[in-house]
Amino acid sequence: MKHAALTFLVLISSILMAQTEDHHAGVSHRGESHAGMGFSQTSTTHHFILAPNGGIVQVTANDAKDSEQIGTIQMHLKHIAEMFSEGNFSIPHFVHDQTPPGVPTMKKLKGAIHYTAEMMDNGARVKITTDSPDGIAAIHDFLRFQIKDHETGDPLTVEDR
C-alpha cells in the first residue's frame, strides 16, 4: 500500500512539474508575440520590484547595444503605462492566460494609482505609485504574481528604492 501511495505521489508531482513548465513556456511564447510584449523573452531581463508606495516593472535588453530591442522595450513600457492608467490590463491577461491577482482592485482604483514610464539606456521601467493602502496591496499582489510567473527570482518583499 505504501508503494502505491508513493508511486501516486511521484506521478502527481511529475504532472504538476510538466504543467508548470508548459505554463511558463506559454507565458514566454505569448509574451514574445505582437499581441503580448512584442520582444524576445530570452534576450531581455524582467524585474518586478515591490516598493513602499507601489512598485516597478522593469525590462532591459541583455545586449546594451541592441538598439532595436531597446526601442521595442521602451515603446512597449510606455504603452503599458498608458494602458494601465486607463484601467486596461488586457496584455497581462493575454500573456499570463489569466487575470493577475490585484488587477480588479487596480482597475477600481485607477484614478488613485499613477503609472510613469521611465526610459533607461538599456530598456525602460514603469513606476507604479499610490497613497491608497488597498492600491499598494493590489500592486504588490500583481508584482508578486509577475515575479513568480516570469520566474525572475526578484524579492517578494518590499524594497526601498
Side-chain angles (χ1 to χ4, degrees):
M1 187 61 132
K2 286 183 180 180
H3 180 71
L6 181 61
T7 301
F8 177 75
L9 289 174
V10 169
L11 176 63
I12 294 299
S13 177
S14 296
I15 291 169
L16 290 175
M17 284 177 51
Q19 287 176 337
T20 299
E21 289 171 9
D22 287 347
H23 175 75
H24 183 69
V27 168
S28 292
H29 177 72
R30 288 184 299 273
E32 287 189 13
S33 75
H34 288 289
M37 292 175 249
F39 52 79
S40 169
Q41 303 298 287
T42 56
S43 62
T44 59
T45 300
H46 290 71
H47 287 291
F48 302 94
I49 302 156
L50 282 68
N53 65 342
I56 298 170
V57 173
Q58 179 174 299
V59 182
T60 55
N62 295 342
D63 178 357
K65 294 180 180 167
D66 187 345
S67 59
E68 183 176 336
Q69 188 86 267
I70 293 165
T72 303
I73 292 167
Q74 291 174 340
M75 183 176 63
H76 173 71
L77 288 185
K78 183 175 184 275
H79 183 62
I80 284 295
E82 292 167 357
M83 289 179 68
F84 286 10
S85 292
E86 297 167 358
N88 181 345
F89 292 83
S90 60
I91 290 177
H93 181 90
F94 171 75
V95 169
H96 298 282
D97 201 26
Q98 62 184 296
T99 299
V103 165
T105 302
M106 292 167 76
K107 285 181 174 184
K108 185 174 79 173
L109 298 174
K110 73 178 182 180
I113 300 175
H114 308 284
Y115 303 89
T116 307
E118 297 180 347
M119 301 307 113
M120 302 166 57
D121 289 342
N122 61 343
R125 67 174 148 226
V126 175
K127 282 192 176 179
I128 310 170
T129 58
T130 186
D131 293 327
S132 163
D134 290 341
I136 292 168
I139 293 163
H140 289 174
D141 288 345
F142 176 77
L143 294 173
R144 284 185 186 106
F145 171 81
Q146 299 289 338
I147 290 166
K148 293 173 187 172
D149 226 36
H150 285 281
E151 300 179 352
T152 65
D154 292 317
L156 297 171
T157 56
V158 175
E159 295 196 356
D160 274 328
R161 286 209 175 198

